[in-house]
Amino acid sequence: MSTKVRQTHRPATRPRPAPTRPGRRLLPWRLLAASALALAALVTAVSLLTAARDAPRPAPAPALTATVATIDGQAVPVRELNLYLVQERAATFSHFQQKYGAADGPAFWTTSHNGQTPAAYLKKHALADVTEATVRLRLAQRYGLLADSSYAAFLAGWRSENARRVKAVAAHQVIYGPVQYTEPNYFTYILGNIDFDLAEKLSRTGVIKTPDSALRAYYTAHRSEFQLGHHTSSTTRGTGVRTLTFAEARKQVAQAYVSDQYQAMLADLVRTAKVKVAASVLAAVPVDRA
């Protein structure tokens, strides 16, 4: 007799989840993504800080007494160049704004436009200005109008003049002009006087010659510049203009001719001046504080 063993079939059971350690939960995918982004941001920030730390720092501004160039052997200090950087600043901004649409901002001076930055453009024009000024001062020294054409001598004269004016005012004396000159204003004043005196001195000593033939030719070419206003009617008080004859205008003709000859002479001296630039000093001169 055989016995049949009844096999019982257990119902299929779902697989049990793997046990997790106490206190540890699986992070949702959104939290994992956020963590990854935060880590990437941290790595980027560290990289930027490292790059900023390792980037070459701009050279410190040179001392005001540092020589930025020599012109025909005469040293030009940074302080003197700064006068012209200030003077040319507005024109430089206007040039780049009109030609390239450049807007003012932190990167204005260092942004290149057609291969040139405003900073380089400004320094180029300031150097041209200071070259012309130096040539004029040296010429005045050569012909006895200045004892010393250096900028150090100018500064000493400026301080002395301001001190004199303060004493004059305290003593109730009459002075002409401001009580105190600013450095750039006094420099402009000195250069203006030099131009007038130097042209006259060059004419008087025969460096600039004024033969009658040259004056007559000049008068003929510029006749319209030598005119005299006069009343044409005593009742209507109308005015008219009459061109002076050469004999009447000879003095004015001579002055204008000498002035033009002086300017031509000066331009030639500036063109042929030997200019040596201290490139490293010039590059370190700041323009954003000019």
Side-chain angles (χ1 to χ4, degrees):
M1 182 178 176
S2 60
T3 59
K4 293 181 180 179
V5 179
R6 183 179 293 178
Q7 294 182 354
T8 59
H9 296 279
R10 295 181 180 178
T13 58
R14 296 179 181 177
R16 296 181 180 178
T20 58
R21 294 182 182 179
R24 187 175 182 182
R25 297 180 181 178
L26 293 177
L27 297 176
W29 69 270
R30 288 188 178 86
L31 186 55
L32 287 172
S35 298
L37 288 174
L39 180 60
L42 179 61
V43 171
T44 301
V46 171
S47 299
L48 290 174
L49 288 173
T50 302
R53 182 195 63 194
D54 296 338
R57 297 180 180 179
L64 293 178
T65 55
T67 297
V68 69
T70 56
I71 299 167
D72 288 335
Q74 179 164 306
V76 174
V78 170
R79 182 168 183 162
E80 183 177 1
L81 180 68
N82 280 343
L83 294 183
Y84 293 101
L85 289 175
V86 173
Q87 199 173 91
E88 293 285 355
R89 187 180 174 89
T92 297
F93 181 79
S94 178
H95 171 78
F96 280 87
Q97 184 183 48
Q98 293 177 10
K99 189 169 184 179
Y100 301 107
D104 196 8
F108 172 79
W109 295 105
T110 55
T111 301
S112 179
H113 301 276
N114 199 24
Q116 187 176 49
T117 65
Y121 179 93
L122 174 60
K123 290 179 180 180
K124 176 183 176 181
H125 283 75
L127 273 173
D129 291 342
V130 81
T131 297
E132 182 179 343
T134 302
V135 168
R136 288 155 73 184
L137 291 168
R138 286 176 57 81
L139 196 60
Q141 182 178 4
R142 185 191 309 173
Y143 287 97
L145 298 177
L146 282 178
D148 188 339
S149 60
S150 70
Y151 198 71
F154 159 75
L155 289 175
W158 167 55
R159 295 183 181 111
S160 176
E161 176 61 17
N162 276 345
R164 183 192 71 78
R165 287 172 173 266
V166 168
K167 290 180 181 179
V169 170
H172 304 289
Q173 297 174 355
V174 177
I175 63 169
Y176 298 96
V179 176
Q180 293 284 276
Y181 278 106
T182 65
E183 184 178 340
N185 284 349
Y186 193 62
F187 195 64
T188 300
Y189 169 76
I190 290 296
L191 285 176
N193 285 345
I194 281 175
D195 277 339
F196 180 82
D197 295 340
L198 191 52
E200 186 181 66
K201 181 70 175 284
L202 293 174
S203 174
R204 192 169 62 250
T205 56
V207 176
I208 295 177
K209 302 183 184 304
T210 56
D212 195 67
S213 58
L215 296 182
R216 286 184 178 276
Y218 187 87
Y219 168 78
T220 300
H222 302 84
R223 188 189 301 269
S224 62
E225 297 176 14
F226 305 102
Q227 297 178 335
L228 178 67
H230 63 282
H231 292 289
T232 57
S233 172
S234 59
T235 57
T236 61
R237 295 185 180 179
T239 59
V241 176
R242 180 176 68 84
T243 300
L244 299 174
T245 65
F246 174 74
E248 292 172 325
R250 195 181 194 287
K251 184 176 181 180
Q252 295 97 307
V253 171
Q255 289 175 341
Y257 174 79
V258 167
S259 178
D260 282 5
Q261 290 297 304
Y262 165 69
Q263 291 299 329
M265 176 182 178
L266 186 63
D268 188 57
L269 290 172
V270 170
R271 182 179 57 81
T272 58
K274 295 180 180 178
V275 180
K276 295 181 180 179
V277 178
S280 59
V281 177
L282 181 63
V285 174
V287 297
D288 55 351
R289 298 194 299 271

